[in-house]
Amino acid sequence: MEAMSDKDQFQNEDYSSSDEEQWEAAHTNIFIEGKTCNKSIISSSSGGQGLMPEKHGQKDSTIMNRMRLDDNKAGMQGLDRDRISQVILEASKGSRFYENEQRKEVQMQQRLSHQQDALSKLTPTDIQEAEREAFSLVEVLQATRDLNRTIVHIDMDAFYASVEMRDNTDLRSVPMAVGGMSMLSTSNYLARRYGVRAGMPGFIAKKLCPELVIVNTHFEKYREVAAQVREIFNEYDPGFCGMGLDEAYLDLTDHLENRRLLTDKEKLTFVHAICECSTETCPQDVADKSRHDSADRLAAPKQLQCERCLKYKEEAPITFGVSDEEAVKEMRFRIEQRTQLTASAGIAPNTMLAKVCSDQNKPNGQYKLTADVDSVMEFVHSLPIRKVSGIGKVSERMLADLGVTTGSHLIEKCGVLRLLHSQISFEHLMRVGMGLGSTRLDSWGSERKSMSVERTFREIHKPDDLYSKCEELTIALADDLQEARLVGKTITVKLKTVNFKVTTRARSIASYTNSYREIEAVAKDILKSEIHSMRPDPLRLRLMGVRMSSLCDESQVTAQGKQQTLTSLFAKTHSSASQTRTAQVSTYTCPVCSSTLMLTLSGFNRHIDGCLQQKEVLASERGVTVDHSEDFSCMESTTCATRDADSSLQSSAAYSASGMSFEESDRENKTLPKKGTRLLEKSNSHTQPVKSSHAIGEEQQGNRLCKYESQGEKQSRNFEKGSFTSTPKERPLSDSAAPPVIMCPVCNKPQEGLSMASMNKHIDECLNTSTIKDLLCSTTSDSKKPERKKPRLSLAGRKQKAIANEPSVLQFFGGKLQQKNNNAN
DNA sequence: GCGGATCAG
DNA sequence: ATGGCTGATCCGC
Ligand SMILES: Nc1ccn([C@H]2C[C@H](O)[C@@H](COP(=O)(O)OP(=O)(O)OP(=O)(O)O)O2)c(=O)n1
Ligand SMILES: [Mg+2]
């Protein structure tokens, strides 16, 4: 739907005039392809043309950007954005949430304005210079292009909603969403036609669609389905990367290599039935899913019942071919057969493209992007950059203001982008513009970097209650950390006021810990200073959170860093099999009061705390060991008042009382640790001329993927009792922790076991030995002839397979190269 | 290292 | 009346 020519026409007096300047500035320097950029590209994106501002019934385009419906989602094309945005606005106006959104909108406007300022100050010379730099990067990136991998991204359709529809026939034909009146996790495709989507509050969705049915979440089921689906993935690529519960990246290259050689007999055969009630095949879940003996099958034809129309159909065999597309069809068929849920997939030479492709024919479809440079470039050329993972609403807006809305613009405006964006951001944009992305899934790190718990509640402002909430969160976090056998030393407290204003306050401590008491002391101290900083006004909160970062595996620090607290001592003493899963409920004997208790380790520690404190208090009438001596409430609850086993039950009750249902808070949020390694140190050794305060964050989670490992058993543990099933993880954490052998991109020799700093140094030396200088000279002089962007990209797209193209290394290289360039200037 | 902001799922 | 939660990254200090 490119039919939204006016979508970025944001009226604002402050910048409407600078639009013209920007247009001029942009226009004067578009010559990258040797021909000046056609005006249509600019005019369509920067607005000012072809709009009739008279039709003001409060058009969608005049509504605050961040309050508008975000229809960048499958199944949401061709909606009446004007009307829908209008409804959302009506429902929002006057709310505290809305007020806060307005504040944020103003900030973004300032960013935009700043960007325009910077743009207008650029001289053509600046831009030419920057383009030369950009081109040398493009050269380097081009050399890394690897089209030999077959990457697939598979994504379940309307995942939570589909599961609910599968299990409740009544929901199949109505618009429905999963979540609660406060927040929806997702919606089915019928509901999407009304503008109802994930991340939208249920009560607003109801205004958009009064018939909307909202059902609670059932994470246990989603997790179950995810496990089934992953079993299938595992057969095609054991190294697949799961993201969240409902999607994954697979590298099918190896599988296809083997598949090519399969004889007909060796192919998997599945049984299914075709039914008139749908144009699609209707795979049925039969016990014997794969048969290798076709005679057998023909001898005993069965009747299968169609799920939809309940008619019985004669089963038929089905096999799939050896091509990549057939392999993916087979996977999707098996997923549907196994789970009765559909998935969509994208096939492409790298993850970035595969992700985009999987959305192309969603739902229940797949799309293959041919792995040759021309096809890739053609695809990217017209690709709206908003579809690229990592470019969100704000980035889209910032770039649109520079006339960049599609992949082709990224290359055309590379000079400006180079000048207005950070190195990292810029390089990512160039990569997107060139259709590059990760080609190796195994280079993606999987260690988590932080763990947190946060909760929304009805207003709390009484200090006692605030401390109490803080304690509750701290307990939950400590349990989570212990269960994951992690320790950390940076504690962050997050606060959201009733006006939705968010602040975070962090403090790093000397030693690693996951002890409830240590975390609590810090968190409460932070909270205390925040409360005090407000005086005499109260601190009125709607959300509080506690996060631990600077993480480390427990085993790596117990010896040195971590303090030998009561926690670890007693843990060793009393829970025999305790070495694993410390947050599980176990039987403990309190060394103080000698009672036998059934609870988590964390709970046990609190019990001991209480007992000890009670003793202290009894012994000496001074019971003040914690900092905030004034707040007795927070200590009160720590005393022996037997807040045993289920702290989560308590928190649930409190939460429920606050007006939200369990299920609403019981979300499957536990996303996996993501993101691959980033070898880039900081790279901002050179400061850009201007660069608004926050360079566009595209790329932020650019490649952040993750090995599928710990999946959220967190929230189920919170509420779904009896779910203490210790899910064995298929992958031990430290599979690729070994120091990698990195190929120096300059001298092309392997550099073993070097730290990042050493690697930096090595590359510096290499650069100084001028190998690269030559390259730079030649490429820049090449680039001077701005004749052949496209032919050139095509041409350079030789296989060049053997090139060591660890993406991150090349990123690094790009940074270094940039740095050198700047130093030279 | 900290705090704000952006992004995804 | 009701506007989530978890985790990650980037930027400018
Ligand atoms: N803001 C969000 C977005 C998603 N999810 C959950 C619910 C979704 O079902 C699941 C998968 O997210 P997707 O982005 O893949 O969305 P869907 O699978 O629901 O729809 P589709 O993939 O068909 O667009 O993650 C969530 O809790 N909160
Ligand atoms: Mg999905």
Side-chain angles (χ1 to χ4, degrees):
Chain A
M1 285 305 81
E2 273 67 53
M4 32 206 228
S5 57
D6 59 339
K7 100 178 145 81
D8 289 300
Q9 172 62 8
F10 187 86
Q11 294 292 21
N12 187 315
E13 315 83 300
D14 294 348
Y15 315 113
S16 53
S17 66
S18 66
D19 248 6
E20 213 51 44
E21 299 173 6
Q22 177 242 337
W23 194 90
E24 293 291 354
H27 186 262
T28 57
N29 63 67
I30 307 297
F31 55 92
I32 292 182
E33 292 188 61
K35 51 183 184 203
T36 51
C37 188
N38 53 7
K39 271 163 85 172
S40 62
I41 291 180
I42 298 178
S43 60
S44 68
S45 52
S46 66
Q49 324 260 106
L51 295 163
M52 42 232 123
E54 52 217 65
K55 173 88 181 195
H56 262 69
Q58 180 79 322
K59 292 205 64 152
D60 171 81
S61 53
T62 69
I63 296 176
M64 183 185 10
N65 200 359
R66 54 189 319 116
M67 286 301 287
R68 286 190 282 198
L69 171 71
D70 182 1
D71 63 356
N72 178 39
K73 190 151 185 59
M76 302 198 67
Q77 283 78 39
L79 300 186
D80 185 352
R81 280 183 59 155
D82 284 347
R83 194 188 65 80
I84 293 172
S85 294
Q86 185 67 33
V87 173
I88 295 176
L89 185 67
E90 292 299 329
S92 302
K93 252 190 290 208
S95 69
R96 285 166 168 165
F97 179 84
Y98 179 75
E99 305 287 329
N100 188 250
E101 290 301 295
Q102 280 187 316
R103 278 201 295 274
K104 293 205 260 181
E105 179 74 9
V106 169
Q107 280 188 309
M108 201 191 61
Q109 290 298 321
Q110 286 169 351
R111 246 175 98 178
L112 276 173
S113 155
H114 201 252
Q115 184 182 240
Q116 289 302 324
D117 268 7
L119 183 64
S120 66
K121 290 199 176 79
L122 298 181
T123 70
T125 317
D126 291 337
I127 296 174
Q128 283 177 38
E129 185 76 12
E131 275 165 0
R132 276 204 297 278
E133 287 183 31
F135 276 136
S136 56
L137 174 60
V138 167
E139 296 286 333
V140 173
L141 292 179
Q142 176 60 31
T144 75
R145 192 188 292 273
D146 180 0
L147 295 169
N148 298 312
R149 297 259 125 201
T150 302
I151 307 295
V152 174
H153 180 253
I154 302 197
D155 187 316
M156 302 296 289
D157 302 324
F159 186 45
Y160 295 179
S162 297
V163 173
E164 301 302 330
M165 288 164 73
R166 177 193 68 178
D167 297 341
N168 182 351
T169 329
D170 295 343
L171 299 174
R172 292 184 191 177
S173 54
V174 300
M176 58 87 64
V178 181
M181 221 40 179
S182 301
M183 186 54 57
L184 302 180
S185 284
T186 195
S187 60
N188 69 1
Y189 278 75
L190 268 179
R192 291 183 196 190
R193 299 314 302 162
Y194 295 81
V196 173
R197 53 160 298 155
M200 178 180 281
F203 70 92
I204 288 188
K206 281 277 197 183
K207 292 201 196 303
L208 288 172
C209 173
E211 327 93 273
L212 182 73
V213 178
I214 300 178
V215 302
N216 288 331
T217 51
H218 298 100
F219 295 108
E220 206 52 62
K221 290 201 293 197
Y222 313 147
R223 233 172 282 121
E224 194 180 314
V225 172
Q228 292 172 344
V229 171
R230 280 167 173 159
E231 274 181 33
I232 296 173
F233 291 158
N234 201 53
E235 288 185 42
Y236 294 81
D237 175 18
F240 76 92
C241 276
M243 307 265 312
L245 284 181
D246 92 315
E247 62 189 274
Y249 292 91
L250 287 79
D251 184 343
L252 275 198
T253 314
D254 293 342
H255 169 83
L256 291 173
E257 190 61 30
N258 298 328
R259 190 184 181 91
R260 217 161 44 85
L261 309 172
L262 286 183
T263 66
D264 280 353
K265 274 220 145 131
E266 291 168 319
K267 286 180 193 163
L268 293 180
T269 302
F270 307 92
V271 176
H272 79 317
I274 315 265
C275 186
E276 310 86 32
C277 74
S278 145
T279 59
E280 307 286 329
T281 61
C282 247
Q284 301 298 317
D285 192 9
V286 288
D288 187 12
K289 284 194 295 286
S290 69
R291 301 183 189 178
H292 298 271
D293 184 351
S294 54
D296 225 24
R297 181 183 57 251
L298 292 177
K302 287 195 301 186
Q303 296 284 308
L304 298 176
Q305 186 179 21
C306 174
E307 265 290 320
R308 279 177 267 257
C309 64
L310 301 181
K311 282 188 207 153
Y312 283 88
K313 297 289 156 186
E314 187 161 309
E315 70 174 24
I318 180 172
T319 65
F320 295 86
V322 296
S323 71
D324 47 6
E325 288 176 287
E326 284 291 306
V328 171
K329 279 183 190 169
E330 182 179 284
M331 263 193 291
R332 295 203 297 121
F333 179 90
R334 293 179 65 182
I335 289 171
E336 182 170 3
Q337 190 172 248
R338 181 79 190 273
T339 68
Q340 298 176 57
L341 301 170
T342 62
S344 298
I347 308 167
N350 63 56
T351 57
M352 183 246 124
L353 294 171
K355 177 84 168 78
V356 174
C357 288
S358 72
D359 236 43
Q360 205 82 6
N361 286 326
K362 191 174 254 292
N364 198 14
Q366 64 185 65
Y367 181 87
K368 174 185 175 179
L369 175 55
T370 309
D372 67 67
V373 181
D374 290 331
S375 304
V376 168
M377 290 311 294
E378 186 191 345
F379 184 80
V380 166
H381 184 84
S382 58
L383 177 67
I385 54 175
R386 178 65 168 87
K387 293 201 173 304
V388 176
S389 175
I391 299 182
K393 261 190 157 185
V394 174
S395 300
E396 176 191 35
R397 184 73 179 88
M398 298 287 283
L399 288 166
D401 234 38
L402 299 176
V404 174
T405 59
T406 69
S408 60
H409 301 161
L410 289 171
I411 304 299
E412 288 159 10
K413 300 286 178 67
C414 67
V416 172
L417 294 176
R418 171 68 189 83
L419 291 166
L420 297 182
H421 287 76
S422 72
Q423 175 63 41
I424 289 227
S425 180
F426 168 69
E427 183 177 324
H428 181 249
L429 292 177
M430 287 303 100
R431 287 172 60 93
V432 170
M434 297 174 66
L436 297 173
S438 301
T439 57
R440 305 288 170 156
L441 306 186
D442 47 86
S443 67
W444 289 335
S446 63
E447 322 115 24
R448 81 156 61 232
K449 306 230 177 5
S450 73
M451 183 176 275
S452 64
V453 176
E454 69 187 51
R455 217 58 61 194
T456 293
F457 37 75
R458 269 204 313 262
E459 171 171 351
I460 297 182
H461 56 267
K462 294 212 284 278
D464 284 359
D465 295 341
L466 289 170
Y467 288 120
S468 173
K469 179 61 69 177
C470 180
E471 174 177 305
E472 182 185 317
L473 294 165
T474 302
I475 289 168
L477 178 60
D479 277 351
D480 290 344
L481 286 167
Q482 288 165 24
E483 179 166 341
R485 308 188 68 67
L486 288 171
V487 289
K489 58 176 176 176
T490 302
I491 292 138
T492 304
V493 173
K494 174 176 171 179
L495 308 172
K496 179 148 69 183
T497 69
V498 291
N499 296 319
F500 291 88
K501 227 176 145 70
V502 175
T503 64
T504 60
R505 293 286 175 261
R507 185 179 305 170
S508 295
I509 59 179
S511 55
Y512 288 94
T513 186
N514 60 12
S515 128
Y516 152 71
R517 270 162 46 259
E518 292 181 61
I519 301 172
E520 183 208 32
V522 177
K524 283 189 175 173
D525 195 55
I526 292 173
L527 178 58
K528 180 169 118 182
S529 56
E530 287 308 304
I531 293 176
H532 287 177
S533 78
M534 295 286 299
R535 278 188 312 193
D537 294 331
L539 180 61
R540 304 175 60 200
L541 296 187
R542 79 169 347 255
L543 170 144
M544 191 186 301
V546 184
R547 173 166 74 249
M548 180 70 86
S549 51
S550 309
L551 296 182
C552 210
D553 193 289
E554 203 176 36
S555 62
Q556 292 177 3
V557 287
T558 36
Q560 45 137 153
K562 191 186 176 188
Q563 286 176 352
Q564 291 294 319
T565 61
L566 282 177
T567 302
S568 48
L569 287 180
F570 285 134
K572 282 179 186 120
T573 316
H574 290 271
S575 61
S576 48
S578 73
Q579 264 28 308
T580 58
R581 231 162 286 284
T582 40
Q584 297 288 330
V585 172
S586 311
T587 306
Y588 298 95
T589 304
C590 174
V592 183
C593 72
S594 298
S595 57
T596 301
L597 308 160
M598 277 263 302
L599 28 60
T600 66
L601 178 57
S602 217
F604 179 51
N605 283 321
R606 290 192 299 279
H607 171 91
I608 294 172
D609 284 349
C611 283
L612 287 176
Q613 279 189 19
Q614 241 189 13
K615 273 201 163 170
E616 275 182 36
V617 171
L618 289 181
S620 61
E621 285 299 307
R622 277 178 49 98
V624 184
T625 49
V626 193
D627 311 20
H628 30 275
S629 32
E630 67 219 60
D631 321 308
F632 274 107
S633 70
C634 57
M635 309 185 56
E636 221 166 287
S637 45
T638 347
T639 55
C640 225
T642 334
R643 40 173 315 125
D644 45 20
D646 222 328
S647 60
S648 56
L649 270 188
Q650 284 198 0
S651 77
S652 316
Y655 199 51
S656 170
S658 81
M660 300 172 75
S661 74
F662 279 12
E663 289 290 354
E664 265 180 90
S665 69
D666 178 17
R667 294 180 185 85
E668 175 58 61
N669 294 317
K670 211 61 184 181
T671 58
L672 302 179
K674 307 192 184 225
K675 168 57 190 142
T677 53
R678 163 141 276 109
L679 294 181
L680 225 21
E681 296 265 69
K682 255 302 195 186
S683 95
N684 53 350
S685 37
H686 59 289
T687 344
Q688 297 303 321
V690 250
K691 197 166 33 181
S692 66
S693 63
H694 264 272
I696 288 184
E698 65 275 310
E699 143 71 12
Q700 290 180 166
Q701 51 283 69
N703 294 333
R704 105 234 236 183
L705 298 174
C706 46
K707 289 297 190 191
Y708 156 50
E709 283 168 31
S710 75
Q711 205 53 248
E713 53 261 356
K714 188 164 174 178
Q715 49 295 325
S716 79
R717 157 183 49 55
N718 280 343
F719 307 106
E720 299 166 18
K721 48 223 148 192
S723 65
F724 287 93
T725 56
S726 59
T727 328
K729 293 306 134 201
E730 38 256 47
R731 272 190 176 239
L733 266 162
S734 53
D735 52 349
S736 65
V741 181
I742 303 178
M743 295 287 283
C744 169
V746 184
C747 69
N748 220 8
K749 291 177 192 159
Q751 306 297 315
E752 223 160 328
L754 288 187
S755 72
M756 201 40 55
S758 312
M759 188 65 188
N760 260 331
K761 198 173 297 177
H762 169 87
I763 293 186
D764 267 336
E765 286 160 10
C766 276
L767 285 170
N768 284 332
T769 59
S770 83
T771 315
I772 194 63
K773 296 250 163 120
D774 300 339
L775 172 62
L776 270 181
C777 274
S778 77
T779 57
T780 44
S781 66
D782 270 0
S783 314
K784 251 184 228 156
K785 259 293 159 246
E787 212 54 294
R788 71 288 133 61
K789 176 203 71 179
K790 203 126 188 203
R792 179 95 120 40
L793 287 175
S794 275
L795 167 129
R798 301 285 78 100
K799 325 262 183 186
Q800 42 97 132
K801 45 167 180 223
I803 305 261
N805 51 356
E806 171 62 52
S808 33
V809 170
L810 287 158
Q811 276 187 359
F812 178 84
F813 179 52
K816 272 304 178 187
L817 200 136
Q818 203 55 62
Q819 198 175 320
K820 277 296 154 190
N821 255 3
N822 270 22
N823 292 348
N825 292 351

